[in-house]
Every structure is written in C-alpha cells, then in structure tokens.
Amino acid sequence: MNTCDLTLAGAALKALGSGALFWPDQNLLCISDLHLGKAERIARRSGMQLPPYETRDTLTRIASDLEATGARMVVCLGDSFDDLTAARSLPEEERLWITKLQAGRRWVWIEGNHDPGPIEFGGTHLAELPIGALTFRHIAKPGASGEVSGHYHPKATLQTRARAISRPAFLIDSDKLILPAYGTYTGGLRSHSQTLSKLMRPDASAVLTGPRPVQVPMPRGAA
C-alpha cells in the first residue's frame, strides 16, 4: 500500500492514493465527499442519465481500503450522499453493501451541506467529531487547528517536463488538513483558487492522489 506520511497536531497520519486518510494509532479510516447516489439525483432533477455505477465503484474502493488498512473505525466527513433523497433511493443491494462494510466497525457520518439530516443507515450521525488533538468536520473553519475536513474537493496540478498532471489532492499545513473528494462522480476546486489560498497557510503542501501519492508545495499560481 503506497502512502504519504503526514503529521497534524502531533498525530501521525497516512494519505492513501485513493484519497482516504488512515490514522494508525486510532485504527481509523477517514473519507470525504462520497456523494453516493449522484447519478440518481441528477436524473431526478434534470432528466440527464449518467451510468448508475458510481456508488458501486466508490463502495468497492472503500472495501479495498478497509482491507488494506484493517481499520476498525470509519469517519465519513460529510456529503456522503448527494442529497437525503439519494440516500433513501439507493438500491437494496447497495444499502446491504454499506451495512456489510459497517459490520464490526464504529462508523461515523459527519453531516455535510448535501446531507444535513439523519440518514437511515447504521452508525452515528454527528456535526463534528473530536478525537484527541484532532477535530473532524465537513467544512474548514478559519482559525481552527488540528482540523480534518473535506467539502472543497481540492485538486492540484504538478508541472513536469513532459506535461501537467492534475489530480485530486490533500492539502495540509500546520493547522488543518483538507481531504480530496473520494466519490467517483465528483469534480474539484483547484488549489490555486482564492478560497483555498486564503484557508491554507503560505507553507502548505499538497499530496496528489494516485498509485504513488506525491507531496509538493501547494500550487498557488495559475495552471
């Protein structure tokens, strides 16, 4: 399993190439912005049909990360479902798959702006979760420290001699860590955006996801 070692508020963490975060000392896997049921929500609101396989693909990758890490606790950092109706509309096979993934584990759903209310799945539903020096929430708060969040779907671009490589990315500085979106049907906000540049300290770095996660200074110029 290829990972990138990170430290936040004294906690030793591992950024996985999938976009998940593993905290070995707590045996905890953290994932953000799954947006399960997005194809159903788009079809319901616009009539546009997308291949309805994104939930299965996302759940397959979660299962793989759980097997690789052996995590006994899972924290989903909000926007786990594309909206509350999408959560209720998941096919029975996919609902049972989630139940199977939850079996024998502590599972925490952090509320997001897409799924702000309780959902009809097992596990615990919280606004935020403090564990030791870290606090898990959906949207980063300016001035917070020891914070792990999602919401922004950060992406970063690495310029090589041959070409520019753009991937979902973790953003980290001495105060906060923002996870990339884990879901299959999710876009991204580039790290050089004004929003992310204001949130992150000047010495922040980005970890590009992929088979071999790569840590670089957080790109801030136009790309």
Side-chain angles (χ1 to χ4, degrees):
M1 180 175 62
N2 290 315
T3 64
C4 179
D5 292 339
L6 303 173
T7 302
L8 180 67
L13 309 169
K14 293 183 179 295
L16 277 61
S18 63
L21 181 73
F22 184 51
W23 188 358
D25 288 349
Q26 296 290 331
N27 210 6
L28 182 156
L29 187 75
C30 182
I31 46 182
S32 188
D33 295 275
L34 310 180
H35 287 273
L36 302 176
K38 186 167 186 175
E40 184 278 332
R41 195 267 299 172
I42 290 175
R44 172 171 24 97
R45 294 191 178 183
S46 70
M48 184 172 66
Q49 301 294 318
L50 295 176
Y53 307 123
E54 91 285 356
T55 295
R56 298 180 213 174
D57 184 70
T58 300
L59 295 177
T60 296
R61 288 186 288 110
I62 295 173
S64 178
D65 282 343
L66 288 172
E67 181 178 0
T69 61
R72 306 311 300 171
M73 180 176 180
V74 176
V75 177
C76 299
L77 284 181
D79 288 1
S80 299
F81 301 89
D82 213 47
D83 62 15
L84 294 177
T85 300
R88 300 184 186 108
S89 301
L90 288 186
E92 184 65 16
E93 179 184 356
E94 293 169 1
R95 297 176 68 89
L96 291 174
W97 196 345
I98 292 172
T99 299
K100 182 179 178 181
L101 293 174
Q102 292 176 320
R105 297 184 173 94
R106 183 186 177 194
W107 196 285
V108 179
W109 304 101
I110 300 295
E111 66 180 34
N113 54 295
H114 279 250
D115 48 6
I119 52 176
E120 300 166 3
F121 289 88
T124 305
H125 187 274
L126 299 173
E128 59 183 43
L129 174 67
I131 301 179
L134 302 186
T135 298
F136 297 84
R137 61 171 59 101
H138 181 55
I139 303 177
K141 292 183 178 180
S145 61
E147 178 188 74
V148 181
S149 65
H151 179 65
Y152 291 106
H153 303 197
K155 297 178 69 175
T157 299
L158 177 62
Q159 184 68 52
T160 69
R161 289 184 178 181
R163 60 190 178 98
I165 300 172
S166 182
R167 292 177 183 169
F170 299 81
L171 302 182
I172 184 169
D173 62 22
S174 57
D175 291 324
K176 59 175 54 68
L177 171 60
I178 302 178
L179 269 65
Y182 192 92
T184 298
Y185 285 171
T186 49
L189 180 64
R190 297 200 179 276
S191 63
H192 62 261
S193 71
Q194 186 176 24
T195 298
L196 292 175
S197 291
K198 285 184 176 180
L199 271 174
M200 306 304 295
R201 289 183 175 274
D203 60 351
S205 62
V207 179
L208 278 68
T209 58
R212 294 183 180 276
V214 176
Q215 186 170 14
V216 298
M218 176 178 156
R220 295 177 183 268

